[in-house]
Amino acid sequence: EGRAFVALLSSLACAIPGIMATRTLPSTKDRVATMLGAPLMTCSARLPVYVIMISLTVDGGAKIGPFGARGVVMFALYLLGAVSAMAAAWAVKQLTDRGHILLPFYMEMPPYRMPRVRTVLIMVWDACKGFLKKAGTIITLTTVILWVLLNVPMRSDAQFEAFCASDTQCAAVSAAVEDPASSTVKGDDGEVITDPEELGKLLEAQKTSYTMDSSWAAGVGKAVQPVFEPLGFEWRINVATLSSLAARETFVATLGQIAAAEDPEEPSTHLATMTYQQDTLTNKAGDQLFNPATVVAILVFFVYALQCMATAGAMRRETGTWKWPIIAFTYMFVTAWVMAAVTHALVAAFI
């Protein structure tokens, strides 16, 4: 159905108006096929995830021909989403309505006119208002809930001291705080840290990290570890991924909270130096967490996964049943998992 192009094009901003635009399609089966493909179009909510993940892996000065490497990767993700959306709609169409006659898309192009300033301002305000409403409700609420989950139950000083005595790194920092002159703690530059204030900050970061590692959120992330382990995900990435089910943008906010807890001074820099805390199916303890294989797996997962409950709600309103949103969530999650696992294995094998 040629008119599905408008719905897919609208989904580049957000899948919700794209799903609503399927009302122009006369065939119910065409509408369903387009709805199941529309969430795969690269919406603006994916951009924060793409930007931070690409910046962790691709050097800012790298070039592919005359173009910046980061821009080429971003374009490739947009292209992958568009091709996947059309492929998904075609597959659904083949499964549900093989004998239907395809109709071409005809649209009379109106004469071009310069937009009025008032019209532009209204459109900009509507877009800003929509984002502020989303940021002020769903994203903020999810971020607050995650902050609570990452910090409860609170641990006593006695519990932390018992943990610190059993952990080599924490014990070294604690001993250095007691006697800075005999410190064996080394910084990122390889130099021994003897400054009492800096050592105190490191011990406080150890305490915060211990609280977070023992939190309810960490328990949830570790519980789903067997599901995401083939993708190279660790419990911190799992928590961020689960939080993105409410809104994709919260993935970045969650990682920001975790990084800030582990390194309050430079949380953004700390993301690049995060390491696996334990051995996993794909990596060993101490390996870089956001290595190329894991970053690519995250990007591919976000291309395919349906991580927006508002989109599922819009699909429910348009179809009148939860059947299609459940089918969409299931097939997109399975596709995201398989594609991310395959991509992780391929990148890990060659890089």
Side-chain angles (χ1 to χ4, degrees), residues 39-40 46 49-50 77 80 227-228 231 233 237-238 240-242 244-245 248 251 293-307 329 332-341 343-344:
L40 291 171
R46 289 181 170 96
V49 180
Y50 289 175
L77 291 170
L80 178 60
V227 177
F228 292 103
L231 281 60
F233 293 8
I237 301 178
N238 295 342
T241 301
L242 293 176
S244 67
L245 293 175
R248 291 183 178 92
F251 179 87
T294 300
V295 169
V296 173
I298 292 172
L299 291 172
V300 172
F301 187 86
F302 270 80
V303 167
Y304 290 103
L306 178 59
Q307 297 163 291
F329 181 86
M332 291 179 72
F333 179 83
V334 171
T335 304
W337 190 95
V338 171
M339 294 297 291
T343 305
H344 182 278

Side-chain angles (χ1 to χ4, degrees), residues 37-52:
L40 291 171
M41 299 293 288
T42 301
C43 65
S44 58
R46 289 181 170 96
L47 294 183
V49 180
Y50 289 175
V51 169
I52 194 169

Side-chain angles (χ1 to χ4, degrees), residues 120-207:
V120 172
L121 292 177
I122 291 175
M123 294 181 66
V124 171
W125 168 244
D126 287 341
C128 293
K129 183 172 64 174
F131 174 78
L132 291 174
K133 183 178 179 181
K134 184 178 181 181
T137 54
I138 298 175
I139 297 176
T140 301
L141 180 61
T142 304
T143 303
V144 171
I145 292 173
L146 283 168
W147 180 87
V148 173
L149 293 177
L150 286 167
N151 288 276
V152 295
M154 298 296 294
R155 301 292 174 173
S156 65
D157 291 339
Q159 289 175 309
F160 173 66
E161 290 173 2
F163 160 77
C164 206
S166 62
D167 184 81
T168 305
Q169 184 179 5
C170 184
V173 175
S174 180
V177 170
E178 296 294 331
D179 185 10
S182 61
S183 171
T184 59
V185 179
K186 295 184 179 181
D188 295 334
D189 56 359
E191 298 293 329
V192 176
I193 301 174
T194 57
D195 181 51
E197 183 178 352
E198 190 171 352
L199 289 170
K201 291 180 180 179
L202 288 176
L203 184 62
E204 188 63 30
Q206 286 284 335
K207 185 173 184 179

Side-chain angles (χ1 to χ4, degrees), residues 58-63 68-70:
V58 182
D59 184 77
K63 295 280 188 179
R70 290 181 175 180

Side-chain angles (χ1 to χ4, degrees), residues 211-224:
T211 301
M212 189 170 58
D213 290 347
S214 307
S215 65
W216 290 344
V220 174
K222 293 172 183 177
V224 300

